[in-house]
Amino acid sequence: MRSSQKVKRAALVLSLALLLAICVASYRLAPREVIRCYLVRWSELDSLAPDLYVDPEMPEAQRQILRSSLADAKARVAVLYGEYTADPVIIAGHTLDVMETYGGNRYNRAGRTYLTLTATFIILGPDGMLSTDVLAHELAHAEFAARIGHANRKEIPSWFDEGLAVQFDERYSEEEWQARTDGGRTAPDLDQLGVIRHDDWLAYATAKHEVGRWLDAVGQEGFWAFLEAIRSGQALQDAYSSTERVNAATQ
């Protein structure tokens, strides 16, 4: 009996050590918040669908809008990718309490996406959980990571990662970007967009303009080839340039 208890205790310690290792390797999320995300299925949150958890106090009307907006957002992302294949865990709260518990903060009340070595978590706050734009933006991060492999995403510069995500986010329009940058003449350079703050509209819109220009040049099949190149280990800048060079002439 004692031997069996020792084995169980050792297994528990090993499991906790593995979970902590995942926490350390995670993307911009504190260990305690990673643990909460991984254990969300045993939390007080309600499960609306597989991997979709909401505040138990969320009104039924908002739950219905969330389901509908989530379906619309997945369809929006699928237009470019062909289909939506990612399976992120989505945690939504109609107050800031849920968002802060699972990794958000009061400065970004809309949504955030976190990737660990084994899972993707989308944390939605009161300003984003019912917005198709916010949902599509965060789902796009998850889909991109699923296509290229989580380990490869850490090598992707912020301007491309965010620029691709905002292709599906109508809060950033080309017309407004043109007006605010004098036709692009006062836009920030891409090398200035190493880290994009969540409230920096111009940075997001500039990234959207560049990635949108590139997507127009390479087309959908070129984009798919680019994803495969990144997944196989090619550096982003090399894949970005070569994909445009090969595909631009055929568009």
Side-chain angles (χ1 to χ4, degrees):
M1 179 66 71
R2 289 181 179 177
S3 177
S4 176
Q5 290 177 340
K6 288 182 179 180
V7 171
K8 291 180 180 179
R9 188 177 298 113
L12 178 60
V13 170
L14 181 61
S15 297
L16 290 174
L18 178 60
L19 183 58
L20 286 174
I22 293 172
C23 295
V24 171
S26 65
Y27 177 69
R28 293 188 297 180
L29 201 58
R32 66 181 180 277
E33 294 163 345
V34 175
I35 293 174
R36 288 172 185 156
C37 287
Y38 271 96
L39 299 179
V40 67
R41 69 178 59 187
W42 295 286
S43 73
E44 77 286 356
L45 300 186
D46 289 346
S47 176
L48 292 190
D51 294 329
L52 175 59
Y53 301 91
V54 301
D55 186 337
E57 302 301 321
M58 182 185 292
E60 180 58 32
Q62 291 188 352
R63 296 178 184 221
Q64 293 179 8
I65 295 172
L66 174 59
R67 291 189 187 97
S68 176
S69 297
L70 184 58
D72 291 343
K74 288 183 177 180
R76 190 183 289 187
V77 176
V79 171
L80 177 62
Y81 283 93
E83 62 177 327
Y84 193 82
T85 63
D87 57 350
V89 175
I90 301 173
I91 302 170
H94 68 302
T95 69
L96 281 175
D97 293 340
V98 170
M99 193 174 193
E100 290 184 326
T101 297
Y102 290 92
N105 58 55
R106 292 186 177 271
Y107 302 103
N108 179 357
R109 296 167 52 93
R112 305 184 76 177
T113 296
Y114 299 106
L115 282 86
T116 71
L117 293 179
T118 61
T120 299
F121 300 99
I122 295 176
I123 317 300
L124 299 169
D127 290 357
M129 66 174 193
L130 305 183
S131 166
T132 302
D133 284 328
V134 172
L135 287 167
H137 184 135
E138 303 305 336
L139 289 170
H141 282 309
E143 183 67 15
F144 181 52
R147 296 293 182 127
I148 67 171
H150 285 200
N152 291 323
R153 187 176 180 269
K154 65 182 179 180
E155 304 299 330
I156 304 300
S158 184
W159 67 263
F160 183 85
D161 190 26
E162 296 296 350
L164 183 58
V166 292
Q167 298 303 311
F168 315 97
D169 187 342
E170 297 175 0
R171 293 175 296 172
Y172 306 90
S173 73
E174 176 69 13
E175 293 74 18
E176 186 175 355
W177 179 82
Q178 291 284 346
R180 291 176 61 170
T181 63
D182 190 20
R185 284 181 283 276
T186 61
D189 294 332
L190 295 180
D191 58 13
Q192 297 177 322
L193 308 182
V195 177
I196 298 180
R197 300 192 319 271
H198 76 275
D199 59 349
D200 192 339
W201 187 96
L202 185 58
Y204 277 106
T206 299
K208 181 175 186 176
H209 169 81
E210 168 56 24
V211 176
R213 179 206 63 78
W214 176 82
L215 285 170
D216 286 342
V218 305
Q220 188 177 50
E221 292 189 4
F223 175 64
W224 292 346
F226 165 83
L227 293 174
E228 185 57 37
I230 297 298
R231 189 174 187 87
S232 66
Q234 189 172 354
L236 179 130
Q237 194 55 58
D238 292 341
Y240 192 79
S241 300
S242 62
T243 302
E244 183 170 3
R245 185 170 58 252
V246 169
N247 291 275
T250 65
Q251 298 304 310

